[in-house]
Amino acid sequence: MAGPVADHDEILAELMLALDGAPAARMVEVSYLSLAGRLPLRGLWLYVADFSEDRLRAVPIQSGPAPPESELSIRGSLPGRVYLTRDQAVVDNDDGPVLWVPVFRRSESVGVLALPIEEGATIAPELAAAIALAVGSAVLGARRHSDVFEIARGAEHLRLAAAMQWDLLPLPTYQDPLVEVAGRVEPAYDIGGDAFDFAANEETVEIGVFDAMGHGLRATLLTTLAVGAYRFGRRRLEELAGVAGDIDEAVRTHVEGEAFVTGHLCRLDLTTGELVWLNAGHPPPLLIRDHTASLIEGAAPCLPFGLETQPADAIRVSLQPGDIVLFYSDGVFEARPNGGDEFGMARFLDMAGRHGDREVALLVMVRQILGEVTDHVRNILRDDATLVAVRWSGPGELSRTAG
């Protein structure tokens, strides 16, 4: 038993050393060269999810066996299922079996790794998962100093406002034993105005949701300012009213009353489940409990940021373990196809209740609801549609482990 385990450790150590010294543009080839002499591989291909999470796109390689397809659909394909479920799968092709492995680190999904193997050979699932983790960590690290993977994701199709917004947004999801957060903005390639941010801290999770007046570059600049001011105040450990004042002053100073940003500022106490938030002219959130979604009514919202916001009384709600709070922009329930009806609040409430299952990851729920919205408008959204969900799992130890 010691032999194979030791071999696995050696294989991974060699791979990590090889990736650490590899140019960003050659990481896929370097991974293959490091592993080919130790494993029965016929190639190694990395597919990354595009910005809309509709396609898996192969990262180009300059040498070694080329991937048979440059793009794969996420919906309805086995590699897409591997990406969405994070479960490995093997498919038998004419030229031999291919092991598909999800590539992710903590809560962030990167794509899938295709490992074509020799006929009759196998690769231990735990070794394949560790290889994918090493490659995923290297890719995420390389994105700080290289455009290779952003280009592979389809960055050339982004409009300027959307490109700026994607650089502003946090990771789409976070999970640990006490809390789960997930968010998404559509349309992926033309967003400009909606944004969200969150931070998991020692005893709280902080969430901000923003919707700037207008659309396009001007709206993106306003949102960037609002998120920057939010992070500034949040990291100074200010109360929510103080953070709201920072955002209002930043926006008001920049636009002098000619534009504004609506939003929510939220703080979830992880020990008690108390959620506190300020509403600056934004639609009220939903509470999803026992497959039923309802609006959380509270104090009247204050004026949007930029219009001399005077924070109203904070709204407080005590969550039960498993409760989901769903924040959204008006682009969700107001989504309307040409000549058709709005998606509507009643349909949105029904959809949120049906998809808000304790056993379903929040990012999956968010994708499902936004998928229904974009299907309703035949993939033509006239306004940004944003969903941000938070689920409290219940009290537990504050020395949390990663999910």
Side-chain angles (χ1 to χ4, degrees), residues 288-293 322-324 349-362 365 368-369 391:
I288 305 173
R289 178 180 291 168
D290 298 328
H291 292 283
T292 300
D323 280 354
I324 299 169
L349 285 164
D350 176 68
M351 197 74 58
R354 286 195 288 113
H355 289 304
D357 192 296
R358 283 173 178 254
E359 305 304 318
V360 175
L362 285 187
M365 183 194 81
Q368 289 171 332
I369 297 174
R391 172 163 48 204

mmCIF file with all atom_site columns, all heavy atoms in Angstrom, residues 288-293 322-324 349-362 365 368-369 391:
data_model
loop_
_atom_site.group_PDB
_atom_site.id
_atom_site.type_symbol
_atom_site.label_atom_id
_atom_site.label_alt_id
_atom_site.label_comp_id
_atom_site.label_asym_id
_atom_site.label_entity_id
_atom_site.label_seq_id
_atom_site.pdbx_PDB_ins_code
_atom_site.Cartn_x
_atom_site.Cartn_y
_atom_site.Cartn_z
_atom_site.occupancy
_atom_site.B_iso_or_equiv
_atom_site.pdbx_formal_charge
_atom_site.auth_seq_id
_atom_site.auth_comp_id
_atom_site.auth_asym_id
_atom_site.auth_atom_id
_atom_site.pdbx_PDB_model_num
ATOM 1   N N   . ILE A 1 288 ? -36.327 32.603 1.835   1.00 0.00 ? 288 ILE A N   1
ATOM 2   C CA  . ILE A 1 288 ? -36.750 31.283 1.381   1.00 0.00 ? 288 ILE A CA  1
ATOM 3   C C   . ILE A 1 288 ? -36.620 30.326 2.556   1.00 0.00 ? 288 ILE A C   1
ATOM 4   O O   . ILE A 1 288 ? -35.529 30.090 3.074   1.00 0.00 ? 288 ILE A O   1
ATOM 5   C CB  . ILE A 1 288 ? -35.896 30.796 0.196   1.00 0.00 ? 288 ILE A CB  1
ATOM 6   C CG1 . ILE A 1 288 ? -35.911 31.827 -0.940  1.00 0.00 ? 288 ILE A CG1 1
ATOM 7   C CG2 . ILE A 1 288 ? -36.405 29.450 -0.305  1.00 0.00 ? 288 ILE A CG2 1
ATOM 8   C CD1 . ILE A 1 288 ? -34.966 31.493 -2.075  1.00 0.00 ? 288 ILE A CD1 1
ATOM 9   N N   . ARG A 1 289 ? -37.764 29.803 2.968   1.00 0.00 ? 289 ARG A N   1
ATOM 10  C CA  . ARG A 1 289 ? -37.806 28.892 4.116   1.00 0.00 ? 289 ARG A CA  1
ATOM 11  C C   . ARG A 1 289 ? -38.802 27.772 3.811   1.00 0.00 ? 289 ARG A C   1
ATOM 12  O O   . ARG A 1 289 ? -39.946 28.047 3.437   1.00 0.00 ? 289 ARG A O   1
ATOM 13  C CB  . ARG A 1 289 ? -38.218 29.640 5.379   1.00 0.00 ? 289 ARG A CB  1
ATOM 14  C CG  . ARG A 1 289 ? -38.344 28.787 6.623   1.00 0.00 ? 289 ARG A CG  1
ATOM 15  C CD  . ARG A 1 289 ? -38.761 29.648 7.814   1.00 0.00 ? 289 ARG A CD  1
ATOM 16  N NE  . ARG A 1 289 ? -37.687 30.552 8.218   1.00 0.00 ? 289 ARG A NE  1
ATOM 17  C CZ  . ARG A 1 289 ? -37.878 31.570 9.077   1.00 0.00 ? 289 ARG A CZ  1
ATOM 18  N NH1 . ARG A 1 289 ? -39.090 31.828 9.566   1.00 0.00 ? 289 ARG A NH1 1
ATOM 19  N NH2 . ARG A 1 289 ? -36.858 32.345 9.420   1.00 0.00 ? 289 ARG A NH2 1
ATOM 20  N N   . ASP A 1 290 ? -38.360 26.543 3.928   1.00 0.00 ? 290 ASP A N   1
ATOM 21  C CA  . ASP A 1 290 ? -39.235 25.384 3.683   1.00 0.00 ? 290 ASP A CA  1
ATOM 22  C C   . ASP A 1 290 ? -39.899 25.462 2.305   1.00 0.00 ? 290 ASP A C   1
ATOM 23  O O   . ASP A 1 290 ? -41.107 25.273 2.163   1.00 0.00 ? 290 ASP A O   1
ATOM 24  C CB  . ASP A 1 290 ? -40.301 25.281 4.777   1.00 0.00 ? 290 ASP A CB  1
ATOM 25  C CG  . ASP A 1 290 ? -39.700 25.059 6.155   1.00 0.00 ? 290 ASP A CG  1
ATOM 26  O OD1 . ASP A 1 290 ? -38.638 24.404 6.238   1.00 0.00 ? 290 ASP A OD1 1
ATOM 27  O OD2 . ASP A 1 290 ? -40.273 25.545 7.144   1.00 0.00 ? 290 ASP A OD2 1
ATOM 28  N N   . HIS A 1 291 ? -39.091 25.764 1.293   1.00 0.00 ? 291 HIS A N   1
ATOM 29  C CA  . HIS A 1 291 ? -39.546 25.791 -0.103  1.00 0.00 ? 291 HIS A CA  1
ATOM 30  C C   . HIS A 1 291 ? -40.602 26.870 -0.368  1.00 0.00 ? 291 HIS A C   1
ATOM 31  O O   . HIS A 1 291 ? -41.341 26.789 -1.350  1.00 0.00 ? 291 HIS A O   1
ATOM 32  C CB  . HIS A 1 291 ? -40.087 24.428 -0.538  1.00 0.00 ? 291 HIS A CB  1
ATOM 33  C CG  . HIS A 1 291 ? -39.027 23.375 -0.634  1.00 0.00 ? 291 HIS A CG  1
ATOM 34  N ND1 . HIS A 1 291 ? -38.143 23.307 -1.679  1.00 0.00 ? 291 HIS A ND1 1
ATOM 35  C CD2 . HIS A 1 291 ? -38.703 22.362 0.212   1.00 0.00 ? 291 HIS A CD2 1
ATOM 36  C CE1 . HIS A 1 291 ? -37.326 22.284 -1.493  1.00 0.00 ? 291 HIS A CE1 1
ATOM 37  N NE2 . HIS A 1 291 ? -37.633 21.707 -0.353  1.00 0.00 ? 291 HIS A NE2 1
ATOM 38  N N   . THR A 1 292 ? -40.667 27.870 0.486   1.00 0.00 ? 292 THR A N   1
ATOM 39  C CA  . THR A 1 292 ? -41.591 28.984 0.275   1.00 0.00 ? 292 THR A CA  1
ATOM 40  C C   . THR A 1 292 ? -40.797 30.285 0.321   1.00 0.00 ? 292 THR A C   1
ATOM 41  O O   . THR A 1 292 ? -40.026 30.512 1.253   1.00 0.00 ? 292 THR A O   1
ATOM 42  C CB  . THR A 1 292 ? -42.684 29.013 1.359   1.00 0.00 ? 292 THR A CB  1
ATOM 43  O OG1 . THR A 1 292 ? -43.429 27.786 1.306   1.00 0.00 ? 292 THR A OG1 1
ATOM 44  C CG2 . THR A 1 292 ? -43.640 30.177 1.129   1.00 0.00 ? 292 THR A CG2 1
ATOM 45  N N   . ALA A 1 293 ? -40.992 31.118 -0.704  1.00 0.00 ? 293 ALA A N   1
ATOM 46  C CA  . ALA A 1 293 ? -40.303 32.406 -0.775  1.00 0.00 ? 293 ALA A CA  1
ATOM 47  C C   . ALA A 1 293 ? -41.286 33.533 -0.491  1.00 0.00 ? 293 ALA A C   1
ATOM 48  O O   . ALA A 1 293 ? -42.412 33.530 -1.001  1.00 0.00 ? 293 ALA A O   1
ATOM 49  C CB  . ALA A 1 293 ? -39.673 32.598 -2.152  1.00 0.00 ? 293 ALA A CB  1
ATOM 50  N N   . GLY A 1 322 ? -30.600 26.869 7.704   1.00 0.00 ? 322 GLY A N   1
ATOM 51  C CA  . GLY A 1 322 ? -31.080 26.467 6.389   1.00 0.00 ? 322 GLY A CA  1
ATOM 52  C C   . GLY A 1 322 ? -31.805 27.552 5.641   1.00 0.00 ? 322 GLY A C   1
ATOM 53  O O   . GLY A 1 322 ? -32.082 27.404 4.435   1.00 0.00 ? 322 GLY A O   1
ATOM 54  N N   . ASP A 1 323 ? -32.146 28.665 6.298   1.00 0.00 ? 323 ASP A N   1
ATOM 55  C CA  . ASP A 1 323 ? -32.821 29.775 5.609   1.00 0.00 ? 323 ASP A CA  1
ATOM 56  C C   . ASP A 1 323 ? -31.923 30.374 4.539   1.00 0.00 ? 323 ASP A C   1
ATOM 57  O O   . ASP A 1 323 ? -30.692 30.454 4.704   1.00 0.00 ? 323 ASP A O   1
ATOM 58  C CB  . ASP A 1 323 ? -33.192 30.878 6.599   1.00 0.00 ? 323 ASP A CB  1
ATOM 59  C CG  . ASP A 1 323 ? -34.459 30.577 7.378   1.00 0.00 ? 323 ASP A CG  1
ATOM 60  O OD1 . ASP A 1 323 ? -35.111 29.553 7.072   1.00 0.00 ? 323 ASP A OD1 1
ATOM 61  O OD2 . ASP A 1 323 ? -34.791 31.362 8.291   1.00 0.00 ? 323 ASP A OD2 1
ATOM 62  N N   . ILE A 1 324 ? -32.553 30.816 3.465   1.00 0.00 ? 324 ILE A N   1
ATOM 63  C CA  . ILE A 1 324 ? -31.854 31.509 2.380   1.00 0.00 ? 324 ILE A CA  1
ATOM 64  C C   . ILE A 1 324 ? -32.443 32.909 2.250   1.00 0.00 ? 324 ILE A C   1
ATOM 65  O O   . ILE A 1 324 ? -33.668 33.073 2.236   1.00 0.00 ? 324 ILE A O   1
ATOM 66  C CB  . ILE A 1 324 ? -32.011 30.764 1.040   1.00 0.00 ? 324 ILE A CB  1
ATOM 67  C CG1 . ILE A 1 324 ? -31.427 29.358 1.121   1.00 0.00 ? 324 ILE A CG1 1
ATOM 68  C CG2 . ILE A 1 324 ? -31.350 31.547 -0.099  1.00 0.00 ? 324 ILE A CG2 1
ATOM 69  C CD1 . ILE A 1 324 ? -31.775 28.482 -0.073  1.00 0.00 ? 324 ILE A CD1 1
ATOM 70  N N   . LEU A 1 349 ? -41.136 34.625 -7.238  1.00 0.00 ? 349 LEU A N   1
ATOM 71  C CA  . LEU A 1 349 ? -41.329 34.030 -5.915  1.00 0.00 ? 349 LEU A CA  1
ATOM 72  C C   . LEU A 1 349 ? -41.511 32.517 -6.015  1.00 0.00 ? 349 LEU A C   1
ATOM 73  O O   . LEU A 1 349 ? -40.934 31.751 -5.230  1.00 0.00 ? 349 LEU A O   1
ATOM 74  C CB  . LEU A 1 349 ? -42.536 34.668 -5.232  1.00 0.00 ? 349 LEU A CB  1
ATOM 75  C CG  . LEU A 1 349 ? -42.351 36.092 -4.687  1.00 0.00 ? 349 LEU A CG  1
ATOM 76  C CD1 . LEU A 1 349 ? -43.701 36.725 -4.395  1.00 0.00 ? 349 LEU A CD1 1
ATOM 77  C CD2 . LEU A 1 349 ? -41.497 36.072 -3.432  1.00 0.00 ? 349 LEU A CD2 1
ATOM 78  N N   . ASP A 1 350 ? -42.307 32.092 -6.979  1.00 0.00 ? 350 ASP A N   1
ATOM 79  C CA  . ASP A 1 350 ? -42.529 30.661 -7.163  1.00 0.00 ? 350 ASP A CA  1
ATOM 80  C C   . ASP A 1 350 ? -41.231 29.944 -7.526  1.00 0.00 ? 350 ASP A C   1
ATOM 81  O O   . ASP A 1 350 ? -40.919 28.881 -6.983  1.00 0.00 ? 350 ASP A O   1
ATOM 82  C CB  . ASP A 1 350 ? -43.575 30.449 -8.255  1.00 0.00 ? 350 ASP A CB  1
ATOM 83  C CG  . ASP A 1 350 ? -43.786 28.975 -8.567  1.00 0.00 ? 350 ASP A CG  1
ATOM 84  O OD1 . ASP A 1 350 ? -44.308 28.258 -7.693  1.00 0.00 ? 350 ASP A OD1 1
ATOM 85  O OD2 . ASP A 1 350 ? -43.411 28.551 -9.676  1.00 0.00 ? 350 ASP A OD2 1
ATOM 86  N N   . MET A 1 351 ? -40.465 30.551 -8.436  1.00 0.00 ? 351 MET A N   1
ATOM 87  C CA  . MET A 1 351 ? -39.210 29.954 -8.876  1.00 0.00 ? 351 MET A CA  1
ATOM 88  C C   . MET A 1 351 ? -38.209 29.849 -7.712  1.00 0.00 ? 351 MET A C   1
ATOM 89  O O   . MET A 1 351 ? -37.557 28.825 -7.523  1.00 0.00 ? 351 MET A O   1
ATOM 90  C CB  . MET A 1 351 ? -38.614 30.804 -9.997  1.00 0.00 ? 351 MET A CB  1
ATOM 91  C CG  . MET A 1 351 ? -37.549 30.118 -10.803 1.00 0.00 ? 351 MET A CG  1
ATOM 92  S SD  . MET A 1 351 ? -38.253 28.899 -11.899 1.00 0.00 ? 351 MET A SD  1
ATOM 93  C CE  . MET A 1 351 ? -39.381 29.916 -12.840 1.00 0.00 ? 351 MET A CE  1
ATOM 94  N N   . ALA A 1 352 ? -38.117 30.908 -6.925  1.00 0.00 ? 352 ALA A N   1
ATOM 95  C CA  . ALA A 1 352 ? -37.181 30.917 -5.801  1.00 0.00 ? 352 ALA A CA  1
ATOM 96  C C   . ALA A 1 352 ? -37.562 29.844 -4.782  1.00 0.00 ? 352 ALA A C   1
ATOM 97  O O   . ALA A 1 352 ? -36.692 29.141 -4.254  1.00 0.00 ? 352 ALA A O   1
ATOM 98  C CB  . ALA A 1 352 ? -37.164 32.292 -5.156  1.00 0.00 ? 352 ALA A CB  1
ATOM 99  N N   . GLY A 1 353 ? -38.864 29.693 -4.508  1.00 0.00 ? 353 GLY A N   1
ATOM 100 C CA  . GLY A 1 353 ? -39.299 28.679 -3.558  1.00 0.00 ? 353 GLY A CA  1
ATOM 101 C C   . GLY A 1 353 ? -39.009 27.266 -4.039  1.00 0.00 ? 353 GLY A C   1
ATOM 102 O O   . GLY A 1 353 ? -38.573 26.410 -3.270  1.00 0.00 ? 353 GLY A O   1
ATOM 103 N N   . ARG A 1 354 ? -39.228 27.029 -5.329  1.00 0.00 ? 354 ARG A N   1
ATOM 104 C CA  . ARG A 1 354 ? -39.020 25.679 -5.863  1.00 0.00 ? 354 ARG A CA  1
ATOM 105 C C   . ARG A 1 354 ? -37.549 25.304 -5.937  1.00 0.00 ? 354 ARG A C   1
ATOM 106 O O   . ARG A 1 354 ? -37.185 24.147 -5.744  1.00 0.00 ? 354 ARG A O   1
ATOM 107 C CB  . ARG A 1 354 ? -39.661 25.571 -7.252  1.00 0.00 ? 354 ARG A CB  1
ATOM 108 C CG  . ARG A 1 354 ? -41.184 25.487 -7.187  1.00 0.00 ? 354 ARG A CG  1
ATOM 109 C CD  . ARG A 1 354 ? -41.788 25.032 -8.499  1.00 0.00 ? 354 ARG A CD  1
ATOM 110 N NE  . ARG A 1 354 ? -41.715 26.064 -9.522  1.00 0.00 ? 354 ARG A NE  1
ATOM 111 C CZ  . ARG A 1 354 ? -40.976 25.988 -10.608 1.00 0.00 ? 354 ARG A CZ  1
ATOM 112 N NH1 . ARG A 1 354 ? -40.187 24.936 -10.814 1.00 0.00 ? 354 ARG A NH1 1
ATOM 113 N NH2 . ARG A 1 354 ? -40.987 26.955 -11.505 1.00 0.00 ? 354 ARG A NH2 1
ATOM 114 N N   . HIS A 1 355 ? -36.685 26.286 -6.238  1.00 0.00 ? 355 HIS A N   1
ATOM 115 C CA  . HIS A 1 355 ? -35.256 25.985 -6.386  1.00 0.00 ? 355 HIS A CA  1
ATOM 116 C C   . HIS A 1 355 ? -34.481 26.114 -5.074  1.00 0.00 ? 355 HIS A C   1
ATOM 117 O O   . HIS A 1 355 ? -33.328 25.692 -5.001  1.00 0.00 ? 355 HIS A O   1
ATOM 118 C CB  . HIS A 1 355 ? -34.627 26.903 -7.433  1.00 0.00 ? 355 HIS A CB  1
ATOM 119 C CG  . HIS A 1 355 ? -35.059 26.598 -8.832  1.00 0.00 ? 355 HIS A CG  1
ATOM 120 N ND1 . HIS A 1 355 ? -34.906 25.346 -9.396  1.00 0.00 ? 355 HIS A ND1 1
ATOM 121 C CD2 . HIS A 1 355 ? -35.645 27.372 -9.783  1.00 0.00 ? 355 HIS A CD2 1
ATOM 122 C CE1 . HIS A 1 355 ? -35.374 25.368 -10.636 1.00 0.00 ? 355 HIS A CE1 1
ATOM 123 N NE2 . HIS A 1 355 ? -35.830 26.573 -10.885 1.00 0.00 ? 355 HIS A NE2 1
ATOM 124 N N   . GLY A 1 356 ? -35.094 26.716 -4.054  1.00 0.00 ? 356 GLY A N   1
ATOM 125 C CA  . GLY A 1 356 ? -34.376 26.950 -2.798  1.00 0.00 ? 356 GLY A CA  1
ATOM 126 C C   . GLY A 1 356 ? -34.363 25.729 -1.905  1.00 0.00 ? 356 GLY A C   1
ATOM 127 O O   . GLY A 1 356 ? -35.027 25.688 -0.868  1.00 0.00 ? 356 GLY A O   1
ATOM 128 N N   . ASP A 1 357 ? -33.614 24.748 -2.287  1.00 0.00 ? 357 ASP A N   1
ATOM 129 C CA  . ASP A 1 357 ? -33.536 23.485 -1.564  1.00 0.00 ? 357 ASP A CA  1
ATOM 130 C C   . ASP A 1 357 ? -32.273 23.451 -0.711  1.00 0.00 ? 357 ASP A C   1
ATOM 131 O O   . ASP A 1 357 ? -31.210 23.885 -1.135  1.00 0.00 ? 357 ASP A O   1
ATOM 132 C CB  . ASP A 1 357 ? -33.520 22.318 -2.563  1.00 0.00 ? 357 ASP A CB  1
ATOM 133 C CG  . ASP A 1 357 ? -33.728 20.971 -1.891  1.00 0.00 ? 357 ASP A CG  1
ATOM 134 O OD1 . ASP A 1 357 ? -32.864 20.581 -1.078  1.00 0.00 ? 357 ASP A OD1 1
ATOM 135 O OD2 . ASP A 1 357 ? -34.739 20.326 -2.184  1.00 0.00 ? 357 ASP A OD2 1
ATOM 136 N N   . ARG A 1 358 ? -32.391 22.918 0.503   1.00 0.00 ? 358 ARG A N   1
ATOM 137 C CA  . ARG A 1 358 ? -31.232 22.820 1.403   1.00 0.00 ? 358 ARG A CA  1
ATOM 138 C C   . ARG A 1 358 ? -30.095 22.015 0.788   1.00 0.00 ? 358 ARG A C   1
ATOM 139 O O   . ARG A 1 358 ? -28.920 22.234 1.089   1.00 0.00 ? 358 ARG A O   1
ATOM 140 C CB  . ARG A 1 358 ? -31.637 22.141 2.711   1.00 0.00 ? 358 ARG A CB  1
ATOM 141 C CG  . ARG A 1 358 ? -32.397 23.000 3.691   1.00 0.00 ? 358 ARG A CG  1
ATOM 142 C CD  . ARG A 1 358 ? -32.885 22.145 4.849   1.00 0.00 ? 358 ARG A CD  1
ATOM 143 N NE  . ARG A 1 358 ? -33.593 22.926 5.858   1.00 0.00 ? 358 ARG A NE  1
ATOM 144 C CZ  . ARG A 1 358 ? -33.088 23.240 7.050   1.00 0.00 ? 358 ARG A CZ  1
ATOM 145 N NH1 . ARG A 1 358 ? -31.873 22.859 7.359   1.00 0.00 ? 358 ARG A NH1 1
ATOM 146 N NH2 . ARG A 1 358 ? -33.788 23.933 7.922   1.00 0.00 ? 358 ARG A NH2 1
ATOM 147 N N   . GLU A 1 359 ? -30.444 21.040 -0.050  1.00 0.00 ? 359 GLU A N   1
ATOM 148 C CA  . GLU A 1 359 ? -29.432 20.137 -0.594  1.00 0.00 ? 359 GLU A CA  1
ATOM 149 C C   . GLU A 1 359 ? -28.800 20.657 -1.880  1.00 0.00 ? 359 GLU A C   1
ATOM 150 O O   . GLU A 1 359 ? -27.875 20.044 -2.409  1.00 0.00 ? 359 GLU A O   1
ATOM 151 C CB  . GLU A 1 359 ? -30.061 18.756 -0.863  1.00 0.00 ? 359 GLU A CB  1
ATOM 152 C CG  . GLU A 1 359 ? -30.736 18.129 0.352   1.00 0.00 ? 359 GLU A CG  1
ATOM 153 C CD  . GLU A 1 359 ? -29.791 17.995 1.532   1.00 0.00 ? 359 GLU A CD  1
ATOM 154 O OE1 . GLU A 1 359 ? -28.628 17.614 1.306   1.00 0.00 ? 359 GLU A OE1 1
ATOM 155 O OE2 . GLU A 1 359 ? -30.219 18.268 2.666   1.00 0.00 ? 359 GLU A OE2 1
ATOM 156 N N   . VAL A 1 360 ? -29.313 21.761 -2.400  1.00 0.00 ? 360 VAL A N   1
ATOM 157 C CA  . VAL A 1 360 ? -28.812 22.307 -3.663  1.00 0.00 ? 360 VAL A CA  1
ATOM 158 C C   . VAL A 1 360 ? -27.860 23.460 -3.378  1.00 0.00 ? 360 VAL A C   1
ATOM 159 O O   . VAL A 1 360 ? -28.180 24.366 -2.596  1.00 0.00 ? 360 VAL A O   1
ATOM 160 C CB  . VAL A 1 360 ? -29.981 22.790 -4.554  1.00 0.00 ? 360 VAL A CB  1
ATOM 161 C CG1 . VAL A 1 360 ? -29.461 23.476 -5.818  1.00 0.00 ? 360 VAL A CG1 1
ATOM 162 C CG2 . VAL A 1 360 ? -30.878 21.612 -4.925  1.00 0.00 ? 360 VAL A CG2 1
ATOM 163 N N   . ALA A 1 361 ? -26.687 23.440 -4.002  1.00 0.00 ? 361 ALA A N   1
ATOM 164 C CA  . ALA A 1 361 ? -25.721 24.531 -3.830  1.00 0.00 ? 361 ALA A CA  1
ATOM 165 C C   . ALA A 1 361 ? -26.348 25.848 -4.290  1.00 0.00 ? 361 ALA A C   1
ATOM 166 O O   . ALA A 1 361 ? -27.094 25.893 -5.278  1.00 0.00 ? 361 ALA A O   1
ATOM 167 C CB  . ALA A 1 361 ? -24.454 24.243 -4.627  1.00 0.00 ? 361 ALA A CB  1
ATOM 168 N N   . LEU A 1 362 ? -26.048 26.929 -3.576  1.00 0.00 ? 362 LEU A N   1
ATOM 169 C CA  . LEU A 1 362 ? -26.651 28.219 -3.915  1.00 0.00 ? 362 LEU A CA  1
ATOM 170 C C   . LEU A 1 362 ? -26.284 28.683 -5.323  1.00 0.00 ? 362 LEU A C   1
ATOM 171 O O   . LEU A 1 362 ? -27.097 29.306 -6.002  1.00 0.00 ? 362 LEU A O   1
ATOM 172 C CB  . LEU A 1 362 ? -26.230 29.280 -2.888  1.00 0.00 ? 362 LEU A CB  1
ATOM 173 C CG  . LEU A 1 362 ? -26.905 29.206 -1.524  1.00 0.00 ? 362 LEU A CG  1
ATOM 174 C CD1 . LEU A 1 362 ? -26.520 30.425 -0.693  1.00 0.00 ? 362 LEU A CD1 1
ATOM 175 C CD2 . LEU A 1 362 ? -28.416 29.106 -1.640  1.00 0.00 ? 362 LEU A CD2 1
ATOM 176 N N   . MET A 1 365 ? -28.633 27.096 -7.624  1.00 0.00 ? 365 MET A N   1
ATOM 177 C CA  . MET A 1 365 ? -29.933 27.749 -7.540  1.00 0.00 ? 365 MET A CA  1
ATOM 178 C C   . MET A 1 365 ? -29.949 29.059 -8.304  1.00 0.00 ? 365 MET A C   1
ATOM 179 O O   . MET A 1 365 ? -30.879 29.357 -9.070  1.00 0.00 ? 365 MET A O   1
ATOM 180 C CB  . MET A 1 365 ? -30.294 28.006 -6.079  1.00 0.00 ? 365 MET A CB  1
ATOM 181 C CG  . MET A 1 365 ? -31.673 28.621 -5.873  1.00 0.00 ? 365 MET A CG  1
ATOM 182 S SD  . MET A 1 365 ? -31.919 29.289 -4.202  1.00 0.00 ? 365 MET A SD  1
ATOM 183 C CE  . MET A 1 365 ? -31.082 30.878 -4.380  1.00 0.00 ? 365 MET A CE  1
ATOM 184 N N   . GLN A 1 368 ? -29.985 28.420 -11.979 1.00 0.00 ? 368 GLN A N   1
ATOM 185 C CA  . GLN A 1 368 ? -31.274 27.920 -12.441 1.00 0.00 ? 368 GLN A CA  1
ATOM 186 C C   . GLN A 1 368 ? -32.288 29.047 -12.596 1.00 0.00 ? 368 GLN A C   1
ATOM 187 O O   . GLN A 1 368 ? -32.999 29.122 -13.601 1.00 0.00 ? 368 GLN A O   1
ATOM 188 C CB  . GLN A 1 368 ? -31.799 26.858 -11.469 1.00 0.00 ? 368 GLN A CB  1
ATOM 189 C CG  . GLN A 1 368 ? -31.031 25.547 -11.508 1.00 0.00 ? 368 GLN A CG  1
ATOM 190 C CD  . GLN A 1 368 ? -31.444 24.601 -10.389 1.00 0.00 ? 368 GLN A CD  1
ATOM 191 O OE1 . GLN A 1 368 ? -31.884 25.013 -9.323  1.00 0.00 ? 368 GLN A OE1 1
ATOM 192 N NE2 . GLN A 1 368 ? -31.289 23.306 -10.632 1.00 0.00 ? 368 GLN A NE2 1
ATOM 193 N N   . ILE A 1 369 ? -32.353 29.934 -11.613 1.00 0.00 ? 369 ILE A N   1
ATOM 194 C CA  . ILE A 1 369 ? -33.321 31.031 -11.682 1.00 0.00 ? 369 ILE A CA  1
ATOM 195 C C   . ILE A 1 369 ? -32.978 31.987 -12.808 1.00 0.00 ? 369 ILE A C   1
ATOM 196 O O   . ILE A 1 369 ? -33.846 32.373 -13.608 1.00 0.00 ? 369 ILE A O   1
ATOM 197 C CB  . ILE A 1 369 ? -33.397 31.766 -10.334 1.00 0.00 ? 369 ILE A CB  1
ATOM 198 C CG1 . ILE A 1 369 ? -33.902 30.825 -9.235  1.00 0.00 ? 369 ILE A CG1 1
ATOM 199 C CG2 . ILE A 1 369 ? -34.310 32.985 -10.444 1.00 0.00 ? 369 ILE A CG2 1
ATOM 200 C CD1 . ILE A 1 369 ? -33.879 31.427 -7.842  1.00 0.00 ? 369 ILE A CD1 1
ATOM 201 N N   . ARG A 1 391 ? -27.007 31.700 2.646   1.00 0.00 ? 391 ARG A N   1
ATOM 202 C CA  . ARG A 1 391 ? -27.675 30.683 3.463   1.00 0.00 ? 391 ARG A CA  1
ATOM 203 C C   . ARG A 1 391 ? -26.877 30.488 4.744   1.00 0.00 ? 391 ARG A C   1
ATOM 204 O O   . ARG A 1 391 ? -25.673 30.234 4.705   1.00 0.00 ? 391 ARG A O   1
ATOM 205 C CB  . ARG A 1 391 ? -27.778 29.364 2.691   1.00 0.00 ? 391 ARG A CB  1
ATOM 206 C CG  . ARG A 1 391 ? -28.281 28.197 3.549   1.00 0.00 ? 391 ARG A CG  1
ATOM 207 C CD  . ARG A 1 391 ? -28.771 27.015 2.721   1.00 0.00 ? 391 ARG A CD  1
ATOM 208 N NE  . ARG A 1 391 ? -27.851 26.631 1.671   1.00 0.00 ? 391 ARG A NE  1
ATOM 209 C CZ  . ARG A 1 391 ? -28.218 25.987 0.565   1.00 0.00 ? 391 ARG A CZ  1
ATOM 210 N NH1 . ARG A 1 391 ? -29.480 25.662 0.364   1.00 0.00 ? 391 ARG A NH1 1
ATOM 211 N NH2 . ARG A 1 391 ? -27.327 25.660 -0.345  1.00 0.00 ? 391 ARG A NH2 1
#
